[in-house]
Amino acid sequence: MNKLIRFLPLILVIALGVVLYRGLSLNPQEMPSALVGNSMPTFNLSTLNNANKRVTQADLLGDIVLINVWATWCPTCKYEHPYLVDVAKNPKVKLYGLNYKDDRVAGQQWLVDYEDPYIFSIFDEEGTLGLDLGVYGAPETFVIDHHGVIRKRFAGAIDTRVWRSEFEPLIEQLIVEKQQGK
């Protein structure tokens, strides 16, 4: 028993090393989401630009939708924003924003200063929709199919490389599914 106790620290260090080594092979942008394959959570929130206009998950049905979680306090959102302006020109998808845990006036001014790529931005001041979506922070982007089902969650900034590898293949697949009536 004494010999086993002497080797216990070595065994623990080896076990910890195996766990840490496994973590090196993980992609931090591939965050698991229990919602992938499920319908968009129900919500009833105002838009960023109009506190009196309410929107719900029903407003996102019928098209292939990207919901981009952003905030003025997020430096990575500023980096990704010019690319989102280009994505908004893509007729294959509808781009909506989710202004997450932010100040309404600051968010409105940010979209004036940097150009507004969104059809509209949902104003989630308290973070309730973000919580329902499992948002860890901004930016995150969700792909929602024409039935309102979440098909992908991506954490991090979108740029050309990410768009081509992570989003284009799925969007093309969803277009085919929609054309086939699936």
Side-chain angles (χ1 to χ4, degrees), residues 46-154:
S46 68
T47 64
L48 177 65
N49 288 327
N50 185 346
N52 297 318
K53 181 178 180 186
R54 307 299 287 186
V55 291
T56 69
Q57 70 283 356
D59 293 304
L60 307 176
L61 292 175
D63 294 302
I64 299 166
V65 168
L66 297 178
I67 298 179
N68 177 255
V69 179
W70 67 278
T72 59
W73 47 260
C74 166
T76 308
C77 297
K78 188 173 180 181
Y79 163 79
E80 110 177 313
H81 193 79
Y83 194 76
L84 292 175
V85 171
D86 289 339
V87 168
K89 297 172 186 167
N90 185 336
K92 297 177 181 179
V93 297
K94 304 288 185 192
L95 178 62
Y96 296 92
L98 176 62
N99 184 238
Y100 180 66
K101 293 187 176 182
D102 210 349
D103 175 71
R104 185 182 299 271
V105 174
Q108 291 168 338
Q109 187 60 50
W110 200 79
L111 292 177
V112 168
D113 292 344
Y114 299 111
E115 188 174 350
D116 187 351
Y118 307 110
I119 294 170
F120 60 75
S121 280
I122 303 162
F123 185 57
D124 191 16
E125 183 176 29
E126 301 298 321
T128 55
L129 179 55
L131 182 66
D132 291 343
L133 287 168
V135 169
Y136 286 88
E140 288 188 27
T141 304
F142 294 84
V143 178
I144 315 294
D145 71 13
H146 57 287
H147 296 295
V149 175
I150 298 171
R151 300 295 291 268
K152 180 175 190 60
R153 172 189 186 192
F154 181 82

Side-chain angles (χ1 to χ4, degrees), residues 17-48:
V18 169
V19 169
L20 292 176
Y21 182 77
R22 169 71 176 115
L24 291 175
S25 66
L26 299 176
N27 183 347
Q29 293 176 328
E30 291 180 8
M31 301 174 76
S33 175
L35 293 180
V36 171
N38 293 316
S39 294
M40 180 74 180
T42 59
F43 66 92
N44 185 344
L45 295 168
S46 68
T47 64
L48 177 65

